[in-house]
Amino acid sequence: VNNRDGGTIDDGGNLSFNVGGALNASGDAVFIISNRNDGLGGGMIGSDVSLNVNATSISTGGLLNLAISANAGGVIPSAGLDLSTGNVVATGGIVGLIQCTGFNAIGGPFLGGGTINGDALLNLNLGDVTSGDVFDIEIDSDGTGFIGGNALMNVFTASNLNVQTDIFNDIINTADLDGDTLVPGGTIAGDASVNAVVAGNIVAGGTGEFAVLNNDFRQLAEGGAIGGDATVFVGANGISTGTIFQPLVNDKNGSVGGDATVSVSITNDITVGTDTLFTILNDGGDIGGDAIGILSARNSASANSFNFQIINDVGNIGGDATLLGTLSGALTSTAAGATIQITNEGGTIGGNAGITFAAASLSAPSLLAQIDNEEGTIAGTASINFNIPGNATTTGDATLQILGSDAAGSAAINVTGGNYDAGGTFLTMIDGDGAISFTNAIAHADVLKVGALGINGVLTIGGGSLSADTELKLYASGSNGQIDFVSNVTLGGTGTKTLAGNTITISNNVVVTVGGTTPADVFTAFSGDIANANYTGFGGNGSTTGTFAGAGANNPQPLADAPPFTDAPINAPILSGSVPSGGGRINRKKPDTLVRVSNTDQLLALLDRAVPAASDKIVSPSVRRTSSPQNFPRTNTAARLGANRGRAELRAAP
């Protein structure tokens, strides 16, 4: 149905194509209702627009393409695109689009987006799907496009979804550029929902992207507006991608009136060829309700990095910010680290900020689990709950930390069970008030540091063992800080052992066994000549029957004489870089940042983290300084992997 260039249809304009048997095309199969403006004005249809294709199966030697367009000024009351069929084999790829976008006309000006006054509903109900090229399903309203109701995408397959190249299941509501001029983003008055449910396996030879995008890889200064919820759900038996797996809501500099939720529920395994980028991105944006990321699977393996995160720097989340990850098997990140984080630098979270992550085991070069609230505000609790009952192994550093905890209602890190082994530093830290607990955990590292560093910091250790080859520090050194040993524990390894707390308590009948041959150094506050050392023997005040064993402990020394928790930081600027291959969040940075290195090892460490940029130059990922003795990367997340992939409606319309 060609109603472009100012055409008018008062009533009708629908397309229905029904085949009682198989639909076979040796070339392309194209079904389009177009109201696009090609320079003489957008088309208008006065009644609801529907495109329906039904068959028992579909086979094409070329592209299977379905589209409803109100691009560049077209106007329609509502849009409904439905494809219902059995098995599909499309050698040239599968494209399904509902669009009311703006775009630059060839050789002409930017044409503003069109209007869908009601809902945009896109439904695919398929059998087994094999696509020889892209599987690209989109609802697009970028560049001032307007959808007056909901934008809802549902993709269901009764068997497998096999795609030779990339999968894009996206709602795109971004701003755009007319040369260097920013064109405002689109508007979706209701909900924006991407729902992909595959009874079998999702297999992509390239990227697997499932996203609601109020911004894209360009990270423009303005985003789109969604009045209701922004929701992404992916469900399948298994997922395998050749490159990136990216479930995403990107609201950078945009607005979502309700909740932003990304949920992935996989019965068996997720296998990713490069990076897992599971993100709610809200830099400079506004989410009126909750921001929730949920991951459930058996095993999750990424050949490069694993990233599970909510980024809210200089943004606002009206409700809770929650990451909930549950793996019945292993989390594996082979070449780069595993990052699980909520960042809120300069941002506001109106409720709680919580990370809860459980897996049977974990293996990665490094681990960073953090809530970063520096210069931000969290009205409720900031909490990290980690439960790895099996082995958690990193060849480098492992860090669990909450920064900016004094600007939260309360803060807590809880480590339950597991056998943690870090080849570098294992750091668990809250920089202000908060409570840290280790319950029946076995942790070993070259350097192991646990610090609840606020005025009222509390460190509770119950069971298990903590050991270090070089240095072990347990600190609750604030003026009301407490270290409490509530069940038998071993402080092992050949490294030095330092306990520093305003009050150190070993509960009744509890024994703290100090390994090696050197006693632990203890630093506490004193009331006169009596140390706040609530245990028996080794200079304790005898207020409990708890005690030290093994190498024991030296008599308590004044807390003021305790060595610092962290080493003095290297006097070097924070590294900031641009985003590799495809974009993502770009950290605020100073221009012309200078990176100082003092020796070859530091230079090689930088290059180990570097990646080739689009210009083929080496780009180092952005790094920020924390209170820890190391600089940990702030993971950049891709926010749109490709530039304009080409609009199928534009290239295939008759």
Side-chain angles (χ1 to χ4, degrees):
V1 176
N2 184 354
N3 194 44
R4 295 182 296 202
D5 267 348
T8 299
I9 299 174
D10 292 332
D11 185 14
N14 299 321
L15 194 159
S16 182
F17 197 92
N18 298 302
V19 179
L23 167 60
N24 299 314
S26 58
D28 296 337
V30 179
F31 306 89
I32 287 179
I33 301 171
S34 180
N35 301 276
R36 192 181 73 217
N37 179 1
D38 281 344
L40 299 177
M44 182 176 69
I45 295 179
S47 60
D48 294 339
V49 174
S50 64
L51 192 162
N52 298 290
V53 176
N54 298 277
T56 58
S57 65
I58 295 177
S59 175
T60 66
L63 176 70
L64 173 59
N65 183 17
L66 302 91
I68 297 175
S69 169
N71 285 336
V75 178
I76 57 178
S78 69
L81 190 159
D82 290 275
L83 172 62
S84 181
T85 184
N87 296 342
V88 178
V89 177
T91 303
I94 300 171
V95 174
L97 308 171
I98 296 177
Q99 297 181 316
C100 58
T101 73
F103 58 85
N104 282 100
I106 298 175
F110 187 92
L111 303 175
T115 299
I116 300 173
N117 283 306
D119 294 335
L121 308 177
L122 198 162
N123 296 298
L124 305 185
N125 194 342
L126 313 173
D128 189 81
V129 178
T130 300
S131 177
D133 203 328
V134 71
F135 184 79
D136 188 3
I137 313 301
E138 300 183 11
I139 299 175
D140 301 333
S141 49
D142 46 301
T144 71
F146 178 81
I147 296 174
N150 300 314
L152 306 179
M153 177 193 303
N154 296 299
V155 177
F156 299 103
T157 74
S159 185
N160 299 312
L161 174 60
N162 286 289
V163 180
Q164 292 295 311
T165 58
D166 301 318
I167 296 174
F168 296 104
N169 284 188
D170 296 334
I171 293 176
I172 303 176
N173 194 47
T174 68
D176 217 323
L177 289 173
D178 179 9
D180 293 329
T181 302
L182 183 67
V183 178
T187 298
I188 298 172
D191 297 335
S193 174
V194 173
N195 188 33
V197 178
V198 175
N201 297 319
I202 298 174
V203 179
T207 294
E209 177 180 278
F210 305 84
V212 174
L213 303 174
N214 264 348
N215 214 314
D216 65 13
F217 74 105
R218 296 166 296 180
Q219 302 296 289
L220 298 174
E222 182 174 337
I226 296 169
D229 298 334
T231 305
V232 174
F233 177 79
V234 182
N237 177 65
I239 290 180
S240 175
T241 68
T243 56
I244 289 171
F245 174 50
Q246 180 163 257
L248 169 69
V249 168
N250 183 353
D251 189 47
K252 181 179 176 68
N253 298 321
S255 64
V256 174
D259 299 336
T261 304
V262 181
S263 180
V264 175
S265 180
I266 305 302
T267 304
N268 287 306
D269 296 344
I270 301 172
T271 304
V272 179
T274 56
D275 302 284
T276 296
L277 301 171
F278 188 136
T279 307
I280 296 175
L281 184 63
N282 196 49
D283 283 29
D286 185 82
I287 295 172
D290 299 331
I292 305 171
I294 302 172
L295 171 63
S296 175
R298 184 173 63 181
N299 300 306
S300 176
S302 301
N304 196 46
S305 66
F306 172 85
N307 306 281
F308 184 35
Q309 52 195 1
I310 296 172
I311 307 296
N312 190 53
D313 296 343
V314 202
N316 176 69
I317 296 172
D320 296 337
T322 303
L323 292 176
L324 177 60
T326 305
L327 300 176
S328 60
L331 172 64
T332 305
S333 178
T334 303
T339 300
I340 304 167
Q341 65 177 350
I342 298 172
T343 72
N344 191 48
E345 289 192 18
T348 300
I349 296 174
N352 301 317
I355 296 173
T356 299
F357 194 86
S361 63
L362 181 151
S363 176
S366 64
L367 169 67
L368 174 61
Q370 72 167 356
I371 297 174
D372 186 351
N373 189 47
E374 294 175 299
E375 302 181 6
T377 300
I378 299 172
T381 298
S383 63
I384 299 175
N385 298 294
F386 235 71
N387 186 358
I388 311 290
N391 295 324
T393 304
T394 62
T395 53
D397 298 334
T399 300
L400 284 72
Q401 65 182 4
I402 297 176
L403 305 175
S405 68
D406 285 342
S410 61
I413 298 176
N414 302 303
V415 180
T416 303
N419 187 353
Y420 295 81
D421 193 352
T425 296
F426 186 178
L427 172 69
T428 305
M429 184 188 73
I430 298 177
D431 64 353
D433 280 350
I436 297 175
S437 69
F438 275 72
T439 304
N440 296 322
I442 299 172
H444 166 264
D446 179 56
V447 174
L448 192 152
K449 298 181 181 181
V450 184
L453 303 179
I455 292 174
N456 301 298
V458 177
L459 170 56
T460 302
I461 300 173
S465 68
L466 305 177
S467 64
D469 298 332
T470 302
E471 182 180 58
L472 188 154
K473 289 183 176 180
L474 305 179
Y475 275 52
S477 50
S479 57
N480 294 313
Q482 302 176 53
I483 299 177
D484 296 330
F485 294 96
V486 297
S487 60
N488 295 342
V489 64
T490 298
L491 305 181
T494 58
T496 61
K497 301 169 184 66
T498 306
L499 283 62
N502 181 275
T503 301
I504 298 177
T505 300
I506 304 176
S507 296
N508 288 329
N509 303 315
V510 170
V511 176
V512 177
T513 301
V514 177
T517 59
T518 303
D521 289 324
V522 176
F523 298 86
T524 70
F526 282 75
S527 298
D529 294 332
I530 300 175
N532 293 348
N534 300 327
Y535 49 82
T536 294
F538 305 96
N541 59 32
S543 60
T544 75
T545 61
T547 190
F548 288 99
N554 293 317
N555 288 338
Q557 304 173 61
L559 184 60
D561 294 340
F565 181 71
T566 59
D567 300 327
I570 298 172
N571 184 20
I574 297 172
L575 300 180
S576 290
S578 49
V579 180
S581 67
R585 78 178 281 275
I586 300 175
N587 292 324
R588 301 182 302 279
K589 66 174 184 176
K590 298 178 181 179
D592 300 321
T593 300
L594 179 65
V595 179
R596 303 180 189 276
V597 293
S598 59
N599 57 48
T600 301
D601 288 342
Q602 289 186 16
L603 177 60
L604 291 174
L606 287 175
L607 292 176
D608 283 344
R609 295 196 299 268
V611 295
S615 61
D616 291 329
K617 296 181 179 179
I618 294 288
V619 176
S620 179
S622 60
V623 177
R624 62 174 306 280
R625 175 143 321 149
T626 71
S627 299
S628 67
Q630 302 289 334
N631 288 333
F632 290 99
R634 288 288 302 281
T635 301
N636 289 312
T637 178
R640 182 69 168 153
L641 297 177
N644 189 343
R645 299 190 300 274
R647 305 226 180 252
E649 189 271 330
L650 296 180
R651 69 173 178 262

